[in-house]
Amino acid sequence: MILRMFRHLSGALALAVVTWSPLPGLAQNAERGLEVMVEQDRRDAGWKTVKVAGTMILIDKAGRQVSRSFDLVRVERANSGDGDLSRMSFASPADVKGTVLLTHGKIEPADDNQWLFLPADRRVRRISSANRSGKFLSSEFSFEDMGGSEVPDNTYEWLRQEACPGNQGLTCNVVASVPRNPKSGYSQRIVWIDTQEYRPFQTDFYNRRGKLEKRLTYSGYKNYGGHWRPARLEMSNLQTGKRTMLEWSDFRFGVDVGAAVMSPQGLQ
Amino acid sequence: MMRRIARTGLLAAAMLAGAGGGQAAELNTSVGMQAYAFSDDPAFAGQSAHEMRVLADLWGNVDLAPGLQFRFDANLTLGEHSFARIDEATLRYDYGTGSLRLGADQHPWARTEFARLSNVLNPRDFRADYEGDTLIGTPMLQWSTLAGTGTIDVIATGWASGNAYRQPEQRLRPSPDLIGGTVWERPRATPGLALRYENSFDAVDLGVYLRRGPSYEAALVPVPSGVAPYYPWVAQAGLDMQVTTGALIGKLELRHTTNQPTRAGGRQDGWAAALGAEYTFFGVAGSDGDMMLFAEYAWDQRGRDAWQIWQDDLVLGARWSANTIANTRLSAGLQLDLDYDTRALRLRLEHRLADGLTADLSVLHWLESDPADLVRDLRKDSHLQITIMRDF
C-alpha cells in the first residue's frame, strides 16, 4: 500500500494542456510522465506479501496529539486487472482494539470492496467504499489516499527536474497526474520522484477547486530486498494546519498469508 | 447467580495463568456503568423505578501451540440483579484453509439491524437489552473450510441454554408472569446441526444455511406458576445477503421454519423476511460528516399469530456521523407496527469522550401500544439509557 500510495501523481492541469495544446512538446511530456510512473511501478512489482506495524499520529492546529496503532497485511495480486488485498488490524486505542478493516482493491473507477469487523458485536459488515474524499480514521489521509492507485488510474504529465524536497543531493522528476475517475477528491496531484531509485519524496494534492490543499512528505527510506519503503509519512493540511504522521516499522516481505486471512469470512 | 459469577472469575484466573506460562496471550477488559431512567411509573406492582448497573467485559486469547488458540469473551453485570454471560469460550485450531472450534460460541449471521432473522443459532439475553439483540454463547463443535472463494461451516450444537430474561421486579420485561423455567420440545442434549455457505460475489455478500435445532423465538406457554418460554424443535432454511453499490446498501434476509408455535396455540410452517436499505450522503454541506437514511421492513407469515415482535414492522430513520476523532453519531428512527397500533421513537447518541472512553445515550419512547401486541407489557417503559464504558 505504501508505495502505491506514493503514486498519487496526477495532473488535471496536464491533461487539460495535452488536450488543448497544439504544441508537440506537451505530448512528449505526457509520454515522459507515463514512463516515469511505469518505471516506478516496474521497480516495485513482485513484493507479493508484506506485514508491517503502523502508528498514525493526528496533530491538530494547537499541537494536541492522538495516536492509533495497527498491523497491516498486504497481498499483491498477480492479475494486473485486480487491486491488492489489505487487512488492517487495530491494536490501540483500547476502544477500537480488535477492529479489522479488510479491503479488496479494484482498478478505478470501480469501488473497492471493504468489510469491517467490530469485536463488540462480533459481526462482519460490508461497508460502502464510495466515500473517496472522506477522512480515513479522522486523519488528514483520505480513503482515496489510503486505497492507493494503479498506473492506469491517472493520466500523467512530466513537468521538470529539480532537487528532491528534503534531500537536496538527489534529483527528482516532477510529474503531475490527473485522476481518470470523476469521483476523485482531487483535480491533480504533483509528485517528486527521485531519478535513481524512483522513490517519491513529496506529493502535493490539489482539491477539486484547483487549490493546493495537502502536502505529503516521505522520509527514512530503507531498502528491503529491492523494495524501498519510508519509515515516516507526514500529511499536512495546508488550509487547516492539521497534520497526520504515519510511522511504519518492522516490515516483513514474503510472509506466508493464508487465503482465509484475507477473506471476509476469515475476519471472525 | 453468584455461583455463575464465581465461575467466570475462575475462568479468567485460568486464562491469566495460561498467559503467565510463557505463551502469547492477549487480554482486554472493559468496565462501565449503565443507568436507566423511566418516564412513567411501572405498569406492574413491585417493579423498581430505576436501575443502575456496573458492566465488565473480559475478552482475548491465549496461544497454546502453533495454530491452536483459546479464545474467550465473558461478561459480568453487577447491580440489583447481577448476572454473568459467556459470549465465547472456544478452543480453536486454524490450519490455513480452515479451522476447527470447540466450545461456547456465537454466530451473528444477520445482516439487518433490527429484525436480525438469521441469528438462529444462539439463545438471546433479554437481560442485556430488552429486544434480545445480545446473543448467548452456546456449545458447538464447528468446522470451517474454504470452498472455492467461499466458506462452508458445519456446526454441531447441543446442551444449549434457553433465552435469559429479566427478573419479575425489573422493568423492560416481556411479561410480568414470566418465570425462569424453560420448556423444551426435545431434551436440551439433543444434538442439532447447521450447515452454512458464505461467499462474496463482487458487490454481493451472500449466506445460505440449513439447520435443525431448537428455535429461540420462544413461545410463552402457561405453566402452574405463570408462563414459561417454550422452545420448539424446528428445521430452518435461510438466506441472507447484502448488496453494496456506491452509497447504496440493500439487505435481505429470508427464512423458512417448520413447526413454529402460533399465539393461537397451533403449529405452522412458514416464511419470514426482512428487507433493508441504506443510502449515505457523504460530506454533507461541505463538512466531514455523513448522513445515512435507512429503512427496514420485517414480515412473518404468521402475522398476528407470530411469537416475535417483527411480524409486520417498518423502521424509518437517519443517522448522522461526524467522522471526527470523537466519532460522534446521532441516530433517530421511527418504528411502526403495520398490524397493530404500535409506534415507537428511537434516538441514540454515541460519542468518544477520550481514547478508550465512550458514552452511549439511547432513548426509547412508546408513542402508542396496541393491547394485542407482544410489546404491550412495555408500554410504561419508555426510557433513557446512559452507558459509559472504559476500555483497557
Side-chain angles (χ1 to χ4, degrees):
Chain A
M1 175 180 75
I2 302 141
L3 202 59
R4 287 183 188 282
M5 195 164 69
F6 310 158
R7 290 193 207 120
H8 292 138
L9 334 165
S10 326
L13 181 60
L15 176 65
V17 171
V18 169
T19 308
W20 298 341
S21 173
L23 298 175
L26 293 177
Q28 288 172 0
N29 289 343
E31 195 174 317
R32 190 171 174 184
L34 180 62
E35 283 172 5
V36 171
M37 301 315 302
V38 168
E39 178 61 14
Q40 186 199 33
D41 191 56
R42 188 192 68 76
R43 289 188 180 215
D44 192 51
W47 50 269
K48 291 180 181 162
T49 62
V50 61
K51 283 187 180 178
V52 60
T55 303
M56 185 177 266
I57 304 163
L58 284 61
I59 307 167
D60 69 11
K61 202 173 177 179
R64 288 185 294 259
Q65 296 188 9
V66 293
S67 67
R68 288 165 174 183
S69 62
F70 52 88
D71 293 321
L72 178 70
V73 179
R74 197 156 173 96
V75 175
E76 185 181 36
R77 285 203 273 192
N79 183 351
S80 60
D82 294 327
D84 298 331
L85 311 177
S86 74
R87 176 180 168 132
M88 189 179 249
S89 308
F90 288 88
S92 72
D95 58 308
V96 298
K97 187 175 182 179
T99 300
V100 184
L101 177 68
L102 177 71
T103 304
H104 289 185
K106 295 218 188 145
I107 304 298
E108 295 280 10
D111 293 337
D112 293 343
N113 293 337
Q114 287 191 314
W115 296 265
L116 191 66
F117 173 71
L118 299 169
D121 57 7
R122 299 166 61 87
R123 282 175 72 190
V124 178
R125 295 167 191 248
R126 175 77 164 265
I127 58 174
S128 169
S129 61
N131 185 19
R132 283 174 167 69
S133 56
K135 290 188 168 189
F136 180 78
L137 296 174
S138 309
S139 74
E140 296 312 310
F141 289 92
S142 68
F143 287 95
E144 183 176 6
D145 300 335
M146 297 302 290
S149 68
E150 306 288 339
V151 172
D153 291 344
N154 307 287
T155 58
Y156 303 98
E157 177 80 5
W158 180 86
L159 300 177
R160 60 187 179 273
Q161 279 192 345
E162 63 186 29
C164 295
N167 193 330
Q168 297 293 308
L170 291 174
T171 302
C172 274
N173 282 307
V174 184
V175 180
S177 77
V178 176
R180 290 183 191 274
N181 188 345
K183 290 191 283 187
S184 170
Y186 304 117
S187 58
Q188 70 166 342
R189 306 179 188 95
I190 296 178
V191 67
W192 281 254
I193 298 176
D194 83 271
T195 53
Q196 290 181 9
E197 302 292 348
Y198 286 78
R199 297 164 299 190
F201 277 79
Q202 180 173 303
T203 305
D204 284 354
F205 297 79
Y206 290 79
N207 63 23
R208 286 178 182 169
R209 295 186 299 278
K211 289 188 175 173
L212 175 59
E213 183 172 296
K214 299 190 296 188
R215 173 165 292 155
L216 177 62
T217 58
Y218 315 74
S219 58
Y221 273 104
K222 278 188 181 175
N223 190 328
Y224 300 88
H227 303 289
W228 287 96
R229 292 293 183 270
R232 181 181 167 112
L233 309 179
E234 181 168 337
M235 180 74 92
S236 303
N237 190 316
L238 304 175
Q239 298 186 351
T240 65
K242 293 180 181 176
R243 291 181 295 145
T244 298
M245 286 186 293
L246 199 45
E247 295 176 346
W248 302 105
S249 61
D250 194 22
F251 279 100
R252 284 173 289 157
F253 285 87
V255 292
D256 184 30
V257 179
V261 171
M262 303 307 278
S263 76
Q265 293 79 36
L267 293 181
Q268 283 181 316
Chain B
M1 181 58 67
M2 286 313 293
R3 205 167 59 193
R4 293 182 66 179
I5 294 168
R7 271 211 310 252
T8 308
L10 286 174
L11 176 69
M15 292 183 300
L16 288 171
Q23 305 290 350
E26 184 180 318
L27 178 65
N28 309 284
T29 53
S30 305
V31 294
M33 294 196 68
Q34 187 173 69
Y36 288 88
F38 293 92
S39 60
D40 295 308
D41 292 333
F44 306 102
Q47 289 187 313
S48 57
H50 304 285
E51 185 168 3
M52 187 169 285
R53 298 166 155 186
V54 175
L55 311 175
D57 187 8
L58 182 72
W59 54 281
N61 56 69
V62 180
D63 291 336
L64 303 172
L68 185 64
Q69 196 174 62
F70 178 66
R71 294 189 180 192
F72 57 92
D73 187 350
N75 287 269
L76 181 65
T77 299
L78 297 172
E80 256 182 277
H81 305 281
S82 300
F83 62 91
R85 183 183 66 249
I86 301 290
D87 290 343
E88 180 179 9
T90 58
L91 204 55
R92 174 176 173 145
Y93 177 65
D94 288 294
Y95 57 89
T97 56
S99 67
L100 275 171
R101 291 185 240 182
L102 175 65
D105 204 356
Q106 298 178 343
H107 282 282
W109 292 338
R111 300 189 192 271
T112 55
E113 300 300 318
F114 298 95
R116 304 189 185 200
L117 287 180
S118 304
N119 287 348
V120 292
L121 277 193
N122 294 91
R124 299 147 186 211
D125 192 347
F126 290 93
R127 301 165 302 184
D129 68 87
Y130 80 99
E131 287 178 302
D133 286 342
T134 304
L135 303 178
I136 300 172
T138 197
M140 299 179 185
L141 172 62
Q142 312 168 60
W143 175 55
S144 297
T145 185
L146 288 179
T149 56
T151 307
I152 291 176
D153 288 298
V154 182
I155 303 168
T157 58
W159 291 105
S161 67
N163 299 334
Y165 295 96
R166 296 181 182 226
Q167 299 294 311
E169 58 273 27
Q170 287 182 282
R171 301 186 68 170
L172 288 164
R173 185 171 163 75
S175 165
D177 301 323
L178 187 64
I179 64 164
T182 53
V183 183
W184 300 85
E185 183 171 17
R186 293 196 185 179
R188 280 182 61 205
T190 309
L193 186 67
L195 300 172
R196 180 175 170 85
Y197 175 73
E198 199 169 314
N199 206 343
S200 298
F201 305 97
D202 199 15
V204 178
D205 294 277
L206 175 73
V208 289
Y209 61 89
L210 295 168
R211 81 173 280 256
R212 275 184 178 276
S215 167
Y216 298 106
E217 278 179 15
L220 298 182
V221 296
V223 294
S225 53
V227 295
Y230 172 83
Y231 303 98
W233 187 264
V234 299
Q236 292 181 309
L239 172 151
D240 50 86
M241 65 185 290
Q242 178 175 321
V243 181
T244 308
T245 170
L248 180 66
I249 291 177
K251 300 176 179 184
L252 169 67
E253 290 180 49
L254 191 61
R255 190 189 70 194
H256 184 267
T257 307
T258 64
N259 193 36
Q260 299 177 108
T262 64
R263 291 178 68 185
R267 297 293 176 121
Q268 186 179 325
D269 297 351
W271 293 92
L275 267 171
E278 299 172 0
Y279 188 86
T280 303
F281 297 91
F282 298 112
V284 175
S287 71
D288 295 325
D290 302 333
M291 177 66 80
M292 182 181 80
L293 304 180
F294 62 86
E296 189 172 310
Y297 172 71
W299 166 84
D300 190 302
Q301 190 177 353
R302 290 171 292 175
R304 287 172 172 249
D305 259 351
W307 277 109
Q308 65 143 328
I309 60 174
W310 299 100
Q311 89 293 348
D312 188 15
D313 288 52
L314 179 67
V315 180
L316 300 170
R319 187 182 75 195
W320 174 76
S321 304
N323 292 330
T324 61
I325 286 287
N327 203 23
T328 307
R329 297 201 300 185
L330 178 64
S331 318
L334 179 65
Q335 180 181 338
L336 302 160
D337 193 315
L338 306 181
D339 268 348
Y340 298 108
D341 290 328
T342 299
R343 289 179 297 141
L345 184 67
R346 297 160 176 263
L347 293 170
R348 186 175 183 192
L349 174 66
E350 300 159 87
H351 185 72
R352 290 179 82 235
L353 301 170
D355 277 357
L357 186 65
T358 53
D360 189 318
L361 184 153
S362 63
V363 172
L364 173 74
H365 180 63
W366 295 105
L367 300 167
E368 208 167 352
S369 174
D370 192 303
D373 198 345
L374 283 174
V375 298
R376 174 65 174 171
D377 290 332
L378 304 177
R379 65 189 180 279
K380 295 277 194 177
D381 288 343
S382 294
H383 66 275
L384 167 75
Q385 176 191 295
I386 299 174
T387 308
I388 309 273
M389 293 299 292
R390 177 81 171 93
D391 298 279
F392 300 94

